Amino acid sequence: MVKKAVIPAAGYGTRNLPITKVLPKEMFPVAGRPAIDYIVREAVEAGIEEILIIISRSKNMVMDYFDRSLELEMFLSQAEKSHLIPLLETPKVHIQFIRQSYAKGLGDAVCLAERFAGNEPFAVLLPDLLFINETANALQKTIAVYNEYKESVIGVKAVKEEDLKLYGVIKGTELAEGLYDITDIIEKPQTSPPSNLAVMGRYVFTPEIFPFLNETLPGIGNEIQLTDAIKKMLTKYEAKAQVLEMDCFDLGKNEEYMTLLNYMFKKK
């Protein structure tokens, strides 16, 4: 069973400057809650019991959000606004934090979770990709594949050909509708992508990923790429890809963030 999850939230948010100079992208408001709140709730709904959030020195706001504010609770009580206190409740899950001293890439961030994961499978959720669906849970679908095959699983989604250069892209053999046996994976292919299936920020890994992460050298952007470690892992272990057929919004793209806000507004 997958009971642990890692949320890497230490990046600089360069795609959203200048606001991310002071406001972490993970704290962007979405219908009154920060984006990372939706990510944590997705994990809890998928059965996760322990979460490790990787932050940087400038992301203390994330830690503060998941902490209790006794002063605010007392103020609301004294101001006869106790009915607002339930709004302060965060998801019921054990959350730990660790700092990434320097943003050296997603692969480096996941490396920091090795002791947290131990010998257990663990999920990774990227907090800038929000899956919104009334009846399906993106991480839950990924975990379901792990439960069947006991292999690492990557959530993917078909994207436009011109956008593939922005993502990790898999090559695979289709086993069933929406399910692939991964044969290769490439980070941000600039020419000749192996498919139209882009990695979409939901993973389940077996602990075997860590030796490959530890030996991975900086790649694109001079960062340690998680995709490069997965590519090496495929030489020794099999992995699956699950197509996530649901709406996904990338907070790093301003137009998608605005579309998400409009989507949530219409739901109210």
Side-chain angles (χ1 to χ4, degrees):
M1 299 294 289
V2 182
K3 297 297 182 182
K4 296 181 178 181
V6 178
I7 302 176
Y12 289 118
T14 54
R15 292 188 294 166
N16 299 97
L17 285 170
I19 187 61
T20 45
K21 179 182 177 182
V22 294
L23 179 67
K25 179 169 55 180
E26 296 80 12
M27 297 302 293
F28 282 7
V30 178
R33 295 184 180 275
I36 196 168
D37 185 283
Y38 291 88
I39 300 297
V40 170
R41 291 175 187 274
E42 177 186 331
V44 173
E45 289 172 1
I48 297 299
E49 298 176 357
E50 297 181 63
I51 295 177
L52 177 67
I53 301 180
I54 301 169
I55 59 174
S56 63
R57 188 175 299 276
S58 63
K59 299 289 186 79
N60 289 333
M61 190 182 295
V62 175
M63 187 184 299
D64 291 342
Y65 178 78
F66 290 104
D67 196 4
R68 285 189 66 182
S69 177
L70 297 177
E71 180 181 353
L72 178 55
E73 290 178 23
M74 183 177 296
F75 167 78
L76 293 174
S77 295
Q78 293 175 347
E80 298 183 354
K81 296 182 179 180
S82 298
H83 64 285
L84 296 177
I85 293 179
L87 295 177
L88 305 179
E89 295 180 359
T90 53
K92 303 299 183 183
V93 64
H94 178 71
I95 299 178
Q96 303 176 45
F97 296 87
I98 189 172
R99 275 183 175 171
Q100 185 183 23
S101 57
Y102 182 75
K104 293 185 289 186
L106 179 57
D108 179 71
V110 176
C111 264
L112 298 176
E114 185 170 7
R115 181 174 293 184
F116 168 78
N119 293 320
E120 300 179 40
F122 65 101
V124 175
L125 302 91
L126 302 194
D128 52 0
L129 291 171
L130 265 65
F131 285 88
I132 306 295
N133 192 290
E134 297 294 331
T135 59
N137 178 303
L139 181 61
Q140 197 169 44
K141 285 178 68 76
T142 313
I143 289 176
V145 177
Y146 169 80
N147 288 339
E148 181 175 354
Y149 292 93
K150 298 298 187 290
E151 298 172 2
S152 293
V153 184
I154 299 174
V156 298
K157 189 173 177 65
V159 303
K160 298 176 182 178
E161 185 175 356
E162 59 267 27
D163 291 333
L164 290 170
K165 61 181 180 294
L166 304 174
Y167 300 92
V169 181
I170 69 135
K171 179 180 180 181
T173 302
E174 190 168 22
L175 301 177
E177 185 176 359
L179 179 65
Y180 292 80
D181 192 20
I182 303 175
T183 56
D184 196 9
I185 186 169
I186 300 173
E187 178 66 16
K188 297 181 174 66
Q190 299 304 299
T191 58
S192 303
S195 74
N196 69 335
L197 296 175
V199 178
M200 280 293 159
R202 297 297 183 272
Y203 312 80
V204 175
F205 290 114
T206 63
E208 284 77 20
I209 187 64
F210 289 113
F212 300 97
L213 277 170
N214 290 325
E215 65 182 30
T216 297
L217 299 175
I220 291 178
N222 199 33
E223 296 182 338
I224 298 175
Q225 299 289 345
L226 178 59
T227 302
D228 293 342
I230 296 171
K231 187 180 182 74
K232 290 182 179 180
M233 184 181 70
L234 290 172
T235 63
K236 190 172 182 181
Y237 299 97
E238 293 189 358
K240 299 292 185 283
Q242 171 64 50
V243 177
L244 301 174
E245 293 287 359
M246 54 191 73
D247 293 323
C248 179
F249 301 89
D250 185 347
L251 297 183
K253 298 178 179 178
N254 289 327
E255 64 276 15
E256 290 197 22
Y257 176 55
M258 297 305 296
T259 300
L260 171 61
L261 295 184
N262 185 53
Y263 179 95
M264 298 298 286
F265 177 78
K266 289 182 177 179
K267 282 179 57 180
K268 283 192 170 184

